[in-house]
Amino acid sequence: MAKKSMLERVINSDFGAKLGIPQGTKLRRYTPGEPFLDGPVVVGGGDLADDIRSLLQVDYQLLDAEADSKRAAIVFDATGITRPEQLHELYDFFHPQMRKLGASGRVIVIGNNPDDLEGDARIVARSLEGFSRSISKELRKGATGQLVYVEPGAPITASESTLRFLLSGKSAFVSGQVIRVSATENENVDWERPLAGQLAVVTGAARGIGATIAEVLGRDGADVICIDIPPAGEALAEVANKVKGTALPLDVTADNAAEVITEHAQQRYGKAVDIIVHNAGVTRDKLLANMNEGQWQMVQNINLVAPVRITEQMLENGGLAADANIVGISSMAGISGNRGQTNYATTKAGMIGLVDALAEKMAAAGGTVNAVAPGFIETAMTAAMPTGPREIGRRISSLSQGGQPVDVAETVAFFASSGSRAVNGNTVRVCGQNIMGA
Ligand code: NAP
């Protein structure tokens, strides 16, 4: 970890807090073996509320909405709200709840997916986005808020993995997000080891976010093939050993990359890959006027051309199972755009394009494709930023802090699970509800 400058120490001190500089609260993060939630859940709203209670009561403690004690989470089914006049139900339910939510609490609103609706029902379903994104900005002490859009008529079991993820410490740095859930049936998984028996590939796994993704997928039971460029071989071998996986030194831009991965999976595991995480990525920041062609093209080749080519070729040659779960690492810059990052933001928006382009095909074969768009994450890359922009970058979010690589990795693992078959075609930001592009 880089040594902190005097300015950085002051900004992050009690004195900094007295000066009015926001100091993020320590977030509740997931530890295996601990309870799924650190307090009771209040469930309210329409017809799905009873189904949600039945689903949650197995592993969670429930609390009456009228109770005065603190609650760890509030879940509200808004699918019964189909006319604008009914939006008052949001006020009626949430107004008395707001002061009763505990630290690192969770607010989850469930609505019908507007894409599946018409007329008034579509209008009010869309209203829920404004409500949930605003509530997330009002929450304090590390609490987060999200909206889950469900396909009308979908059984609540389709949303189980999403509810579990959002209630847990795994979603610590996810806030103000919208997740769309279809009626697709999920596979039954062991919630402590949801990836057991799965073969995963993680690119860019020698360090940073990729190394943590490999660790989390391994923790959740997957066999992990860790890929990085050959010069990173030693660090890559260490990560692979740690996760009891295998190291595959490979430049993802190599013409035969798809073949090499397919052969490695067959030779070492005797099977096709079930999960692929396109994490390898680079930046070469320059204003477009000052950028040379090499800086443009290198970023395109690694961040987008390679993931697209590897995915297409491995689906074609059977190296990637037809019902695979594909996860792309995008970036907030791909959503908001960023000065000096025309090359990078093009590729990161393209990663969201890959999700859009493949979602239907993957769903038809029983698989999924989703993207994670990290915001400010504490890595070697962000540690190297000048103090001013770094401290601002950390604080311009509802959680007033940077995220950890594990926050990105947990979201990847949520998407990668067969328990999340109903979660397809989504891009979720892991950014603490950063104001950039929100
Ligand atoms: P990182 O520390 O630079 O790690 C990226 C890894 O990918 C490195 O080990 C790198 O190896 C490897 N890599 C680069 N080119 C490759 C190639 N052609 N083939 C195989 N591996 C290659 O980056 P990070 O911060 O962990 O970021 C991981 C991903 O998250 C990237 O896609 C990045 O764009 C995205 N992201 C990060 C942040 C953040 O705040 N850190 C925010 C938004 C998005 P070498 O460097 O040794 O070449």
Side-chain angles (χ1 to χ4, degrees):
M1 192 54 70
K3 209 169 157 228
K4 286 185 177 160
S5 68
M6 173 67 93
L7 178 59
E8 198 179 353
R9 284 205 298 272
V10 171
I11 290 172
N12 291 293
S13 66
D14 290 347
F15 180 64
K18 279 188 193 133
L19 290 175
I21 299 169
Q23 309 290 327
T25 308
K26 188 174 188 314
L27 304 179
R28 169 172 64 93
R29 289 195 167 85
Y30 173 73
T31 309
E34 282 192 356
F36 291 111
L37 192 61
D38 60 349
V41 191
V42 164
V43 182
D47 291 348
L48 282 181
D50 278 342
D51 294 349
I52 298 168
R53 284 188 201 100
S54 314
L55 190 79
L56 294 182
Q57 70 183 4
V58 181
D59 286 322
Y60 301 80
Q61 190 193 338
L62 299 174
L63 185 72
D64 272 353
E66 290 73 31
D68 275 334
S69 49
K70 285 279 181 203
R71 54 225 50 195
I74 303 166
V75 181
F76 183 75
D77 167 32
T79 57
I81 302 180
T82 55
R83 287 174 292 108
E85 308 84 80
Q86 280 180 284
L87 287 167
H88 201 273
E89 292 175 25
L90 293 173
Y91 176 84
D92 292 344
F93 178 78
F94 278 103
H95 174 68
Q97 299 295 326
M98 293 305 287
R99 291 184 202 284
K100 298 178 186 167
L101 187 67
S104 282
R106 298 286 187 264
V107 170
I108 303 173
V109 177
I110 299 177
N112 284 318
N113 188 344
D115 300 344
D116 299 321
L117 302 170
E118 290 177 351
D120 279 7
R122 183 167 190 145
I123 295 167
V124 296
R126 187 65 177 77
S127 300
L128 299 177
E129 265 197 53
F131 178 77
S132 67
R133 288 192 203 275
S134 300
I135 235 183
S136 316
K137 292 189 174 181
E138 293 183 8
L139 298 173
R140 292 286 170 265
K141 294 187 183 159
T144 62
Q146 335 281 347
L147 173 62
V148 179
Y149 274 142
V150 297
E151 186 176 329
I156 195 63
T157 45
S159 301
E160 181 168 6
S161 71
T162 305
L163 288 174
R164 284 179 175 271
F165 170 67
L166 294 177
L167 290 171
S168 77
K170 296 179 177 182
S171 60
F173 201 58
V174 179
S175 195
Q177 296 305 293
V178 179
I179 298 180
R180 286 177 165 72
V181 173
S182 72
T184 304
E185 215 160 295
N186 291 315
E187 281 175 31
N188 286 329
V189 292
D190 168 358
W191 297 111
E192 296 281 1
R193 282 175 69 80
L195 306 181
Q198 303 284 297
L199 178 59
V201 165
V202 181
T203 68
R207 64 165 197 226
I209 293 172
T212 310
I213 293 172
E215 279 173 37
V216 168
L217 299 189
R219 176 203 71 192
D220 282 357
D223 288 318
V224 188
I225 300 172
C226 304
I227 293 178
D228 211 298
I229 50 169
E234 212 171 301
L236 186 67
E238 267 176 45
V239 174
N241 282 342
K242 196 169 171 190
V243 307
K244 299 189 176 65
T246 52
L248 175 56
L250 171 73
D251 183 333
V252 291
T253 65
D255 286 343
N256 63 347
E259 252 169 72
V260 173
I261 302 170
T262 302
E263 271 169 29
H264 181 95
Q266 277 303 336
Q267 277 170 10
R268 302 296 290 268
Y269 300 93
K271 66 181 292 203
V273 170
D274 302 298
I275 296 163
I276 187 160
V277 185
H278 295 296
N279 164 79
V282 294
T283 50
R284 289 295 180 272
D285 297 356
K286 283 272 179 208
L287 294 179
L288 187 57
N290 302 331
M291 189 184 296
N292 66 39
E293 201 185 337
Q295 288 160 336
W296 171 269
Q297 201 51 46
M298 180 192 192
V299 174
Q300 305 306 309
N301 289 348
I302 296 171
N303 295 12
L304 188 62
V305 177
V308 170
R309 195 196 293 155
I310 289 171
T311 305
E312 288 175 354
Q313 292 181 356
M314 285 184 66
L315 281 173
E316 211 174 286
N317 73 9
L320 194 56
D323 63 351
N325 296 318
I326 302 167
V327 188
I329 304 299
S330 175
S331 166
M332 199 169 65
I335 296 168
S336 63
N338 203 16
R339 188 179 149 84
Q341 291 198 312
T342 50
N343 50 357
Y344 181 74
T346 301
T347 64
K348 293 301 180 180
M351 194 57 98
I352 298 171
L354 175 72
V355 170
D356 295 344
L358 269 186
E360 221 171 290
K361 175 178 171 164
M362 293 312 296
T368 64
V369 55
N370 294 283
V372 179
F376 186 102
I377 304 297
E378 304 286 355
T379 60
M381 188 178 93
T382 45
M385 288 167 72
T387 304
R390 181 174 61 240
E391 291 303 327
I392 292 169
R394 277 182 180 146
R395 286 177 169 76
I396 53 171
S397 72
S398 298
L399 294 173
S400 302
Q401 59 192 291
Q404 298 295 329
V406 72
D407 299 325
V408 178
E410 297 284 16
T411 309
V412 168
F414 155 61
F415 281 145
S417 165
S418 312
S420 304
R421 290 280 188 217
V423 183
N424 182 33
N426 285 271
T427 296
V428 164
R429 291 165 55 128
V430 179
C431 68
Q433 202 177 25
N434 194 295
I435 61 172
M436 268 176 73

